[in-house]
Amino acid sequence: MRPLLARISPAALAHNLGVARSHAGAARLWAVVKANAYGHGLARAARALAAADGYAVLTLKEAATLRDLGVRQPILLLEGYFDAAEIPACYELRLTPVVHHAEQLDMLEHSARLGALNLYLKFDSGMNRLGFALGEMEGIVARAQTLARGGTLTLMTHFATADEAAGVAWQLAPFLERARRYRLPLSLANSAALLRYPDSRADWARPGIMLYGASPFVDTGAAALGLCPAMTLTSEIIAVQDVAPGEGVGYGLAWRAAQAARVGIVACGYADGYPRHAPNGTPVLVAGRRTALVGRVSMDMLAVDLSNLSEACVGSPVTLWGEGLPVEEVAAAAGTISYELLCALAPRVRVAEG
Ligand SMILES: *Cc1c(COP(=O)(O)O)cnc(C)c1O
């Protein structure tokens, strides 16, 4: 059997939810499980995160899957319904759609209303992606109050720089200044804000990446935040090559041996979700020791330098990321973020729980 395996730890997921809880104070937690729970498997993650107060997803399909699994907590639909045809399912599945533009309110106004509907009203406090302008709050709240027919309204915003030096204050202050007038529940914080800015916890926080055991920050690792990696991508060395000085390895011979080198070929490639643009030097663990990616990542394989790992041989265990090698470190080397690597785990990769 091909040795590539993604090991997903339900215990780590549950532990990380506990860490989120410890930062949340009295706030309730949406466990953000969009994108197949950041690659961890929606059903598996939902089970492991059963202590969450609710789940946040992107699509009706994900929401329906959660209800089929017996989930009873509230489910937040992060971008709401995309067209009017999705509105009846929001009632049937007891979802809480996010409403972020006026057309969505129009759709609701013109649809058959089947009772109370809890709504999240999303306001744009500076990210300029989704949400009503802050100045529209009064009119939008009034309109939504009618359309919700007794359902709860929650005011929401999203931070653009919670993980960076700029922080959240520049968005938080103008948002709160207006939102506080309505005495409605508020939902603001993603993982980075929840971890770093207690002022932003509000009533419902929306942690995602931290539940999977990765740090949202470039300057602080997951371990320092008390988080445990929930996904460890492991494989084995399937071949060893002795490479003479001046010879190259892989497509384009994009890495050349300066002196005689031993190179291990690992069963993992870009068709498994490993980033093809990861450069020479990207960290990889072989038999628990850190070494470096060499040459271009192929579809099904990649190469690592074994020159200083004389004991490594065919069958030696390899960790691409996870326990012992934080995914955010691999991501940084490849010029991306942990989120992208986790979400990109390909369906062909075998998964084991434990
Ligand atoms: C994905 C998402 C989150 C979770 O963000 P993390 O950085 O993974 O914690 C929170 N809120 C919204 C609106 C999102 O789309």
Side-chain angles (χ1 to χ4, degrees):
M1 198 193 306
R2 190 163 180 250
L4 182 64
L5 179 71
R7 200 158 38 71
I8 310 283
S9 166
L13 291 164
H15 166 84
N16 296 330
L17 181 64
V19 175
R21 191 70 80 189
S22 74
H23 286 270
R28 279 171 287 177
L29 296 175
W30 293 110
V32 180
V33 293
K34 61 188 172 186
N36 197 30
Y38 292 47
H40 293 67
L42 177 58
R44 184 181 300 115
R47 267 196 307 277
L49 299 169
D53 301 294
Y55 297 93
V57 299
L58 187 69
T59 65
L60 276 185
K61 188 164 173 239
E62 293 165 322
T65 300
L66 290 176
R67 288 292 180 234
D68 285 345
L69 290 167
V71 162
R72 306 177 68 115
Q73 292 102 314
I75 296 176
L76 183 65
L77 205 51
L78 282 162
E79 295 177 15
Y81 38 89
F82 292 96
D83 52 59
E86 292 191 331
I87 293 176
C90 291
Y91 286 101
E92 282 154 28
L93 296 169
R94 288 170 292 113
L95 309 184
T96 303
V98 170
V99 169
H100 56 83
H101 65 65
E103 287 78 357
Q104 284 175 312
L105 289 175
D106 298 343
M107 289 179 212
L108 192 54
E109 193 164 282
H110 298 124
S111 73
R113 263 160 287 144
L114 310 166
L117 186 63
N118 295 333
L119 294 174
Y120 263 46
L121 300 178
K122 185 168 187 174
F123 291 90
D124 173 23
S125 55
M127 190 167 182
N128 289 313
R129 195 177 58 172
L130 290 187
F132 299 102
L134 291 181
E136 294 181 282
M137 202 177 279
E138 191 167 344
I140 295 298
V141 169
R143 201 173 163 211
Q145 228 135 25
T146 308
L147 294 172
R149 295 212 165 171
T152 309
L153 298 185
T154 301
L155 306 182
M156 165 188 184
T157 196
H158 193 56
F159 297 123
T161 56
D163 55 331
E164 294 175 14
V168 303
W170 66 276
Q171 287 181 267
L172 188 60
F175 176 82
L176 288 181
E177 205 239 328
R178 289 177 189 269
R180 279 201 178 117
R181 299 174 197 169
Y182 301 96
R183 301 177 178 279
L184 292 171
L186 307 179
S187 176
L188 318 173
N190 57 3
S191 297
L194 182 61
L195 286 164
R196 224 165 239 185
Y197 304 103
D199 288 359
S200 72
R201 290 172 190 164
D203 300 289
W204 281 87
R206 306 185 305 271
I209 193 70
M210 69 178 295
L211 302 179
Y212 306 100
S215 168
F217 307 113
V218 282
D219 59 355
T220 310
L225 299 167
L227 302 171
C228 300
M231 180 197 296
T232 300
L233 185 60
T234 62
S235 189
E236 289 179 7
I237 303 284
I238 59 167
V240 176
Q241 303 291 342
D242 289 306
V243 182
E247 287 184 359
V249 170
Y251 286 115
L253 307 177
W255 176 86
R256 284 179 186 275
Q259 58 243 339
R262 264 181 99 229
V263 165
I265 307 302
V266 179
C268 180
Y270 62 78
D272 301 303
Y274 196 92
R276 183 181 172 279
H277 48 271
N280 292 325
T282 300
V284 178
L285 289 187
V286 176
R289 291 181 56 198
R290 199 174 264 255
T291 183
L293 181 80
V294 294
R296 253 179 228 158
V297 173
S298 315
M299 187 181 286
D300 312 314
M301 286 172 272
L302 55 81
V304 293
D305 185 9
L306 300 181
S307 300
N308 296 316
L309 297 174
S310 53
E311 73 288 359
C313 56
V314 170
S316 291
V318 174
T319 298
L320 285 318
W321 63 64
E323 248 170 68
L325 182 59
V327 62
E328 57 265 33
E329 241 183 88
V330 179
T336 183
I337 54 174
S338 60
Y339 301 67
E340 189 180 14
L341 298 192
L342 296 173
C343 291
L345 186 78
R348 81 176 195 182
V349 178
R350 248 180 336 126
V351 175
E353 267 182 42

